[in-house]
Amino acid sequence: MQRLERIFVALNGWALIAMLSAMALIVGANVTLRYLTAHSLPWADEAARYLMIWMTFGGAGLALRVGGHVAITNLQDALPGTGERVLRALIVVTLLAFFGFMVWVGWQYALRMQYQVTPAMRLPFLYVYAAMPVGFGLLILHLLLIARPLITAGKYKRMDGAKAQDTPLRGSANG
């Protein structure tokens, strides 16, 4: 199971690297063409924008794994050990419900937009708006994979697949 998790995290990371690289190449080529030929690629800005949307939703799960999202821990810090674990379990269940709801909402919205096309690339908006349900689906998977150490010890998993971080959530700015 840990091997599958490492593969999943690595694939998610490589997909983000590929999107960032594509975005940099497209924008760089567009700037170069604009200065060398006084013409630009009509689809470059649109492609970069849609890649950024996909990167945002696709990378949210990786940020969640390492405690990269903003969190306020005052209530958790004030509770005794059992209360902390119960609160973290409630937070995980609430997040799973919210993420599941957003998968459903995102998919409904993407389906409604499937017949409209983007102005420059003539790409169905379904592919743009599919970033939302895919991203929230990834958030669900990442949260399920880190739920146990998060609930029991208040620790986040490391990106390299090693054990949970040595620093617990208590007193952290982002945990």
Side-chain angles (χ1 to χ4, degrees):
M1 185 66 178
Q2 288 178 345
R3 183 170 184 252
L4 288 175
E5 182 178 353
R6 282 194 303 274
I7 291 169
F8 169 65
V9 170
L11 287 175
N12 194 176
W14 281 106
L16 294 174
I17 290 169
M19 286 185 269
L20 180 62
S21 300
M23 191 172 73
L25 287 172
I26 290 168
V27 171
N30 195 38
V31 169
T32 302
L33 282 173
R34 191 177 313 135
Y35 284 107
L36 293 179
T37 66
H39 298 287
S40 63
L41 302 169
W43 50 268
D45 293 336
E46 193 173 282
R49 183 179 320 119
Y50 300 149
L51 284 167
M52 180 65 78
I53 290 168
W54 271 91
M55 283 177 26
T56 300
F57 283 106
L62 291 176
L64 178 73
R65 291 185 73 83
V66 296
H69 293 282
V70 174
I72 300 171
T73 61
N74 292 353
L75 177 60
Q76 173 185 295
D77 294 344
L79 293 174
T82 304
E84 267 185 286
R85 286 188 293 280
V86 168
L87 179 61
R88 285 194 295 263
L90 286 172
I91 289 170
V92 167
V93 169
T94 303
L95 285 174
L96 285 171
F98 175 71
F99 295 163
F101 175 73
M102 293 307 291
V103 167
W104 181 76
V105 167
W107 184 246
Q108 295 300 312
Y109 195 69
L111 288 178
R112 272 189 249 130
M113 300 301 290
Q114 69 182 332
Y115 299 111
Q116 291 186 357
V117 294
T118 62
M121 296 179 3
R122 308 305 296 165
L123 184 72
F125 269 110
L126 169 71
Y127 298 119
V128 177
Y129 288 107
M132 186 175 169
V134 169
F136 277 103
L138 289 171
L139 273 164
I140 289 170
L141 290 174
H142 283 290
L143 183 57
L144 288 172
L145 291 169
I146 67 164
R148 180 173 233 191
L150 180 61
I151 292 169
T152 58
K155 297 180 181 180
Y156 286 100
K157 286 194 172 186
R158 290 175 25 172
M159 291 298 291
D160 60 6
K163 293 194 184 230
Q165 290 181 351
D166 293 333
T167 54
L169 294 174
R170 186 177 298 277
S172 67
N174 65 350

